[in-house]
Amino acid sequence: MTDLTRRRLMTGAAALALPAFAQPGFVRPAMAETVDVAAAKREGKVTLYTSAPIAAAQKVANAFQAKYGITVELFRSGGTQVLRRFMMEQQAGHAGADVLVSSDPAAVLDLAAKGLFMPFKPEGFDKVPAGLNDPDGRFVAQRVSVISIYGRTDLFPLSDMPKTWDDLLGPRFKGKLVMTNPSFTSLQLGVVAMMAKLRGWEFFEKLNRNDVVVVQGNEQALNLVKTGERPIAAGADSQYANEARLAGHKIANVFPSDGTFAIQATTSIVKGSKSPNAAKLLAEYTLSLEAQKLWPESGIYAARVDVDPPPESPRISDIKVIPTDYAYITSATSQVKRKFSEIFSI
């Protein structure tokens, strides 16, 4: 990383260290930028890379296609895998994505500083809390992932569920826990880095002694909770539990009383996009009130403040949120992945 890039990254990360829903006011652009819809339709298709849950991402893509007649080619994987594919293509000079949606704000800050995104402030930019957007429009929040402890309420009544992070270390939860791998999901990378910074690696060493199973991503963790093989997710994306509950599963979230993390997923238009107008139109639609209301229907927190939270979920402002230090996460990424793998022998 060049010194200039590092300075830009640290400056941006410092601005994002305080959760935006705890900051006063909004970043208000003087005027939303317009999109040439006719040109977008002539381009005919747009390629989207995203780590959003596949069903929810497809719902938004389908709604956009139905409205504008523009095909959305969707690549969906874990956050780390999405970024790896994006960077490999960039380095090879064969960009595949027109729009990148990433759940790794630290990486997005770095990519923005390297000039890989095209500035664009769509309609609705001012409806997202300050700090979740780049003031220059190189990224704008699409949704927010709130980390919870969730589990099967028919196997562990809500009153018996872990209420704090330290509760996970108790003997009654031994052999009952599943968690995700920070080498696969960028959300977990941020969580593990911050937990290690705040609590030390001893927390994860104790968690390992409590016989926790580590899986790649949030979908695999949810599947083990659904089957009851591992009835409690020891810190995972609450939207997966919400989605399962809305589908009829007896699963509930607990947001740790000693604080948790809320991490935004952002939308960026890739510089040099083959379909720049369609990319702008998709980015604009993603932030529209129409599209934002689709996220809570799937159990996901929308980025706009004028959209209600998912059913039976508290507002983010009512959850104790721990500030996320993205500069630290960036500097510690390699160490965090290596140390976590050593502790859990993966």
Side-chain angles (χ1 to χ4, degrees):
M1 192 184 303
T2 66
D3 289 341
L4 178 59
T5 299
R6 180 175 285 106
R7 287 197 298 272
R8 286 174 176 169
L9 175 59
M10 297 307 176
T11 301
L16 291 179
L18 179 65
F21 21 82
Q23 298 179 10
F26 303 102
V27 175
R28 294 191 183 276
M31 182 181 297
E33 298 179 37
T34 58
V35 180
D36 189 335
V37 177
K41 290 183 176 181
R42 285 195 298 271
E43 289 167 355
K45 69 175 182 178
V46 60
T47 301
L48 169 66
Y49 285 12
T50 182
S51 60
I54 184 61
Q58 193 65 62
K59 183 186 293 186
V60 175
N62 290 346
F64 174 79
Q65 290 178 163
K67 184 167 186 170
Y68 294 107
I70 298 171
T71 300
V72 178
E73 295 183 350
L74 186 67
F75 169 69
R76 190 271 166 198
S77 188
T80 299
Q81 300 302 314
V82 168
L83 286 170
R84 181 176 294 127
R85 174 166 170 168
F86 175 76
M87 288 308 302
M88 287 177 63
E89 292 175 343
Q90 286 288 320
Q91 291 162 6
H94 299 292
D98 298 307
V99 178
L100 174 69
V101 175
S102 175
S103 54
D104 187 342
V108 168
L109 282 163
D110 185 28
L111 296 175
K114 291 176 178 176
L116 297 184
F117 301 139
M118 182 167 61
F120 176 61
K121 296 178 182 179
E123 185 75 29
F125 190 88
D126 61 321
K127 299 299 183 182
V128 177
L132 294 188
N133 296 340
D134 172 45
D136 295 327
R138 294 169 298 179
F139 56 83
V140 56
Q142 178 196 69
R143 63 189 196 280
V144 180
S145 292
V146 185
I147 304 302
S148 73
I149 298 168
Y150 66 76
R152 283 269 302 269
T153 54
D154 53 337
L155 300 179
F156 276 92
L158 200 54
S159 59
D160 294 338
M161 286 274 289
K163 303 298 192 302
T164 68
W165 293 105
D166 284 339
D167 285 350
L168 295 169
L169 308 178
R172 64 196 180 100
F173 300 118
K174 187 171 185 177
K176 307 294 184 183
L177 306 174
V178 59
M179 66 188 304
T180 58
N181 187 342
S183 290
F184 181 82
T185 167
S186 51
L187 278 178
Q188 184 70 331
L189 173 62
V191 172
V192 172
M194 289 303 301
M195 291 290 284
K197 179 185 180 184
L198 297 172
R199 294 170 174 263
W201 285 106
E202 183 182 3
F203 173 81
F204 290 100
E205 290 167 352
K206 290 180 179 178
L207 198 57
N208 182 46
R209 291 196 290 271
N210 223 20
D211 187 25
V212 63
V213 164
V214 177
V215 296
Q216 275 196 325
N218 281 284
E219 291 182 352
Q220 292 90 338
L222 177 62
N223 286 337
L224 289 186
V225 173
K226 282 181 178 179
T227 63
E229 182 178 343
R230 291 282 166 154
I232 296 175
D237 194 340
S238 62
Q239 65 191 32
Y240 288 83
N242 284 334
E243 183 180 24
R245 187 181 68 255
L246 292 172
H249 294 273
K250 295 180 179 180
I251 294 176
N253 283 305
V254 174
F255 297 102
S257 60
D258 46 350
T260 190
F261 305 94
I263 300 172
Q264 71 270 37
T266 58
T267 302
S268 297
I269 299 171
V270 180
K271 185 173 288 186
S273 163
K274 298 183 296 295
S275 303
N277 296 289
K280 284 185 177 182
L281 190 60
L282 178 58
E284 181 179 77
Y285 180 75
T286 296
L287 198 57
S288 70
L289 194 58
E290 175 184 331
Q292 286 280 296
K293 287 182 176 180
L294 296 175
W295 295 112
E297 292 177 5
S298 298
I300 301 170
Y301 283 92
R304 288 179 60 137
V305 296
D306 52 353
V307 176
D308 289 334
E312 302 177 39
S313 298
R315 291 188 175 276
I316 298 178
S317 57
D318 294 329
I319 298 170
K320 183 178 180 179
V321 175
I322 300 171
T324 304
D325 186 345
Y326 293 115
Y328 172 76
I329 294 169
T330 299
S331 67
T333 290
S334 297
Q335 176 194 356
V336 167
K337 291 179 179 180
R338 182 175 63 253
K339 185 66 175 178
F340 187 90
S341 296
E342 289 174 359
I343 291 173
F344 292 96
S345 302
I346 55 176

